[in-house]
Amino acid sequence: MDEPIKTFDLSPEQQNTTTLIQRLLGKRIADRYVDFCRLAAGAFALRVSSPMAAHALRELESILRQTLEVPMDVAVKPSREQTR
């Protein structure tokens, strides 16, 4: 139980992606992305890392869908010129 804490640094590409996600979709989704990257890289000693990573990815996808759901449902009404 007293295992040393592993440190994990995101790659420059992952850091840039995190920044972009945070700017576009918010901190909540960016934090989930970072967690997924850490799980996928094996940064933590888990007994069931594959199911945990899959769960983290499903959670990230769910939050992303919720965030994009409202903007994607917006219907644009055609102008009068377009309906003629």
Side-chain angles (χ1 to χ4, degrees), residues 24-39:
L24 293 174
L25 303 171
K27 185 175 180 347
R28 181 176 167 207
I29 296 175
D31 287 345
R32 294 294 192 271
Y33 172 75
V34 171
D35 288 347
F36 175 75
C37 289
R38 289 178 175 170
L39 283 171

Side-chain angles (χ1 to χ4, degrees), residues 1 4 30 50 60 70-71 76 78:
M1 290 289 191
S50 294
L60 177 62
V70 175
V76 178

Side-chain angles (χ1 to χ4, degrees), residues 19-65:
T19 301
L20 182 61
I21 290 173
Q22 188 167 356
R23 286 180 48 212
L24 293 174
L25 303 171
K27 185 175 180 347
R28 181 176 167 207
I29 296 175
D31 287 345
R32 294 294 192 271
Y33 172 75
V34 171
D35 288 347
F36 175 75
C37 289
R38 289 178 175 170
L39 283 171
F44 302 103
L46 301 173
R47 294 182 183 186
V48 290
S49 59
S50 294
M52 284 296 289
H55 176 73
L57 186 57
R58 283 192 303 270
E59 186 175 335
L60 177 62
E61 177 192 24
S62 175
I63 292 170
L64 185 58
R65 285 181 184 271

